[in-house]
Every structure is written in C-alpha cells, then in structure tokens.
Amino acid sequence: MSLSKISAASVFASWIVAGTGVTSIVQAEQASMTFFVTSVGKGKGADLGGLEGADAHCAALAKTAGAKATNWRAYLSTTLPGGDAGVNARDRIGKGPWQNAKGAVVAKSVSDLHSPQNNINKQTALTEKGGTVSGRGDPVNMHDILTGSDPEGNFSTAGGDTTCGNWTKSGEGSAIVGHHDLQGLKDTRHMKSWNSSHGSRGCSQDNLKASGGAGLLYCFAAN
C-alpha cells in the first residue's frame, strides 16, 4: 500500500473514531436528560387526553430518545369548577435540578425555575432530540407552549377556560401558553414569560398554529 493510501486510511479511521466519540457524548447527555420540549404535539390540538395522556406523551418521546428517567410529567395545570383548588404544574414536576438533552441545567429547583434565575430560553429549551424549537422570527413560529399556568406555575384564577377543558378539548376554549423563546409582539413581562404569556385563540390544532403554537409541552422528570 502506498504512503498516500496509508495516510488516507489513517485520516478516515480518525474520522470514524472522532464521530463515534461525539455520538457517545450525545447519547450520554440524552440518557441523563430530565427536561425537554416535545418535538411534536399529540396532533389533536390541546386535547391531550388529560394530564395522564400528556404525561404518557412525554414518557414516550423520552423513551424513544434514550432517556433513562421514566417518571415524566407534563408541565400543565388544571382547574376545578366552583372555585375548588386545581392541580398546579409546579407541584407535578419534582424538586429539580433539571437539564436538557445537551447537559445544560435549566433550573436547580422549583423556586429557581419560577424566578429570573431560570435558564429557559430558545437555546436551552430543546426537544428530546436535542434540537431547537422554532420561535418568533423563524419561518414557522411554534413558541406557544401549553401550560395552563400563572407565572408561579399555579393553576390560573383569572376565570374562564384556561386549560382547554383540562386538556380534553380540541375545539372551542382557550389555554394559557408560555413563550420558550421569551419573545412576543410587545416588550412586556408577559410576552417574555416562558410559562404564562397569553391565552390561545382556541383549542384546535389549527387555532394553536394561528397564534404561534403547535400543541407542544414542557416535560420534566419528577425527582
């Protein structure tokens, strides 16, 4: 074999080894992932099959991505009629800390998550595959993430439908959403909120798309 062929073979082998190393690192990061934004919705708008269906959606995507955590919870609140206490998203997700599919910590605790100290933004609110979610200014805007929550992560007391019938409606109604990219029509606190920006125009897939969403969720591994 000529020297040039030996050199070429060595370079090719080095590429293979380097590529394998990168793949191993990525797989390790995804295995330890405890937070992500769903890469897809369930396809029925805000009808997620209730909290149970939403949790199952998070778990299925996490398993496919190779995450070791199994106790996945969708960051969603619910309400009850008659002014009774609902379920708070913040109470469903454990104590933290949580990290994304590339190993970046997005919050150290629940209180950290619901404070200016959280590290959720377009660069860190990644999907279970480690990809970014398109936001405001991109060809397709999907920054409306379903939460049904107030800024503190509690169920809303604003009145009216704020959870699309506790995540069972795909027609009329509304749900509170957050902006994972912290961007909005105005430079206001609500528009920059990751978990409580505004109400959706409706509960169908088309209505969610019309206001900049796709029925995506925040998923946390409860610990």
Side-chain angles (χ1 to χ4, degrees):
M1 183 181 291
S2 67
L3 180 60
S4 60
K5 289 183 178 180
I6 293 175
S7 299
S10 299
V11 170
F12 180 72
S14 297
W15 286 345
I16 294 296
V17 171
T20 301
V22 171
T23 300
S24 297
I25 292 171
V26 171
Q27 289 176 338
E29 290 172 341
Q30 286 181 307
S32 60
M33 172 180 66
T34 49
F35 162 82
F36 65 90
V37 178
T38 57
S39 58
V40 294
K42 293 199 70 175
K44 297 175 64 179
D47 180 359
L48 307 170
L51 292 179
E52 183 178 351
D55 291 346
H57 184 52
C58 287
L61 292 176
K63 182 178 181 180
T64 300
K68 290 183 179 179
T70 58
N71 194 26
W72 289 94
R73 296 290 181 266
Y75 182 91
L76 296 172
S77 294
T78 62
T79 59
L80 291 175
D84 293 333
V87 174
N88 299 320
R90 65 180 293 145
D91 296 334
R92 309 188 71 242
I93 61 173
K95 299 179 179 179
W98 300 278
Q99 66 181 51
N100 66 17
K102 292 190 176 179
V105 174
V106 295
K108 296 179 180 179
S109 65
V110 171
S111 58
D112 187 38
L113 180 66
H114 297 93
S115 78
Q117 304 305 314
N118 79 66
N119 186 36
I120 292 182
N121 52 58
K122 187 177 180 180
Q123 288 70 45
T124 61
L126 305 178
T127 70
E128 74 281 359
K129 301 175 183 179
T132 57
V133 178
S134 60
R136 183 166 175 78
D138 293 325
V140 178
N141 182 13
M142 300 191 299
H143 73 172
D144 283 359
I145 313 298
L146 298 171
T147 70
S149 305
D150 70 10
E152 292 301 315
N154 300 315
F155 69 91
S156 175
T157 58
D161 188 8
T162 57
T163 63
C164 283
N166 289 334
W167 316 111
T168 62
K169 290 183 179 180
S170 60
E172 295 183 354
S174 181
I176 294 175
V177 301
H179 290 167
H180 83 290
D181 60 354
L182 313 183
Q183 299 293 319
L185 294 173
K186 299 179 180 180
D187 188 22
T188 63
R189 176 176 62 85
H190 285 296
M191 290 295 102
K192 292 181 177 181
S193 174
W194 71 274
N195 70 336
S196 190
S197 291
H198 59 83
S200 65
R201 294 181 184 178
C203 300
S204 70
Q205 192 71 14
D206 286 342
N207 279 334
L208 295 180
K209 288 181 179 179
S211 55
L216 305 184
L217 309 173
Y218 293 116
C219 299
F220 291 81
N223 46 30

